[in-house]
Amino acid sequence: DAGVIQSPRHEVTEMGQEVTLRCKPISGHDYLFWYRQTMMRGLELLIYFNNNVPIDDSGMPEDRFSAKMPNASFSTLKIQPSEPRDSAVYFCASSLAGGVATGELFFGEGSRLTVL
Amino acid sequence: TQLLKQSPQFLSIQEGENLTVYCNSSSVFSSLQWYRQEPGEGPVLLVTVVTGGEVKKLKRLTFQFGDARKDSSLHITAAQPGDTGLYLCADIDNYGQNFVFGPGTRLSVLP
C-alpha cells in the first residue's frame, strides 16, 4: 500500500514568493497533520484536520500560512509570501481514528523548503 | 501546555555498546509513543506504552514507562550502525487525536 505522499521533496525559492506544499494521505485515514521540523525547534504541529475539517490551527505561525483539505485524499499548505525563516522540512502525516493505545502517525518523506 | 524533555540531546557511541535515552513530561502522559527518524525520512513508530510501569521489548530495544506515567526510557543493547537516527517521544491526547513531540535524541552509532 502507498504511504503518505508529499510533493515537492525539495524546493528552493526566493523571499516573497508563494510556496505550495502538497500531501496525499493514506487512503481511509481520517486525520491529517502538517508538521514543521527545524534543528532549533524540533517537530512542531502546525495544523490538523479530521474528516477534511480543520480542528486545531493554533500552531500556524502567522497569516502567511494557510492550509486546506478540499477532499479526503488531498491537502495543501501554502506560504505567501515566504521568508527565509520559513526554511525547514515540512511533514505531512495521517492517522486512523483510535484510542490512546492505538493511534499511530504515518509520516511522508517531507518537503525540504529553502527560502533565500 | 505540556512540555516534553528528552535527554541526552546528542549521543555518539561505538557499535556494540549499550545506551539509554530518556523522555520526561511536565504532566502525566495519556500514553507515550517512541518514534525513530532516519536521515531524509519521516519518523516511524516503534512502540506505544499506556500503563504505568509497562515494559515492552522490540528485539534489542527495551521501553519502560514510569509508574507515575511522567517519564519513559528507551534502552538499546549492543547498538548497531542501523540504529543511528533521531529518537522522538510523543504524547497522544485523551482522544487519540493530537500528538505532541519531544525535541528528540540524536543517536550516532559508529562502526
Side-chain angles (χ1 to χ4, degrees):
Chain A
D1 287 340
V4 175
I5 299 172
Q6 292 188 244
S7 65
R9 287 295 312 276
H10 302 273
E11 173 135 359
V12 180
T13 190
E14 292 188 346
M15 183 174 62
Q17 296 298 306
E18 178 178 293
V19 173
T20 300
L21 307 178
R22 299 172 177 80
C23 175
K24 177 178 169 54
I26 293 173
S27 178
H29 282 192
D30 41 12
Y31 286 87
L32 184 141
F33 302 78
W34 282 101
Y35 285 88
R36 177 172 67 177
Q37 187 174 41
T38 61
M39 287 293 291
M40 290 297 295
R41 300 176 69 89
L43 200 58
E44 302 175 278
L45 176 67
L46 299 177
I47 184 171
Y48 78 94
F49 296 82
N50 176 215
N51 292 323
N52 314 337
V53 177
I55 302 300
D56 183 356
D57 65 354
S58 59
M60 296 285 263
E62 48 197 271
D63 291 345
R64 298 184 298 105
F65 285 70
S66 63
K68 294 182 179 180
M69 191 166 186
N71 57 62
S73 60
F74 184 65
S75 178
T76 59
L77 178 67
K78 187 174 292 187
I79 308 172
Q80 166 62 19
S82 58
E83 297 182 3
R85 60 188 168 131
D86 301 331
S87 297
V89 181
Y90 290 81
F91 284 100
C92 176
S94 68
S95 72
L96 197 56
V100 295
T102 56
E104 176 179 355
L105 278 177
F106 293 84
F107 284 83
E109 294 183 309
S111 294
R112 181 175 294 276
L113 173 64
T114 302
V115 183
L116 303 174
Chain B
T1 302
Q2 181 185 37
L3 289 176
L4 300 188
K5 295 183 180 181
Q6 291 190 245
S7 60
Q9 187 177 0
F10 298 97
L11 185 59
S12 181
I13 61 171
Q14 293 294 132
E15 181 176 2
E17 294 183 4
N18 302 331
L19 67 111
T20 302
V21 298
Y22 302 91
C23 175
N24 296 277
S25 173
S26 57
S27 56
V28 174
F29 286 104
S30 301
S31 66
L32 184 142
Q33 296 186 327
W34 285 95
Y35 288 76
R36 179 171 64 208
Q37 183 179 15
E38 298 183 12
E41 304 290 333
V44 175
L45 179 66
L46 295 173
V47 76
T48 300
V49 287
V50 180
T51 305
E54 186 174 2
V55 177
K56 283 192 175 180
K57 291 192 175 184
L58 184 66
K59 297 183 180 178
R60 295 176 293 100
L61 278 59
T62 301
F63 304 86
Q64 285 192 297
F65 200 17
D67 291 341
R69 294 170 54 220
K70 295 185 70 174
D71 60 272
S72 178
S73 65
L74 160 56
H75 181 79
I76 301 178
T77 304
Q80 300 177 359
D83 296 325
T84 293
L86 179 67
Y87 288 80
L88 297 158
C89 64
D91 188 20
I92 315 173
D93 68 18
N94 289 324
Y95 304 99
Q97 296 181 2
N98 192 8
F99 298 74
V100 176
F101 284 84
T105 292
R106 195 168 296 276
L107 171 66
S108 178
V109 182
L110 305 174

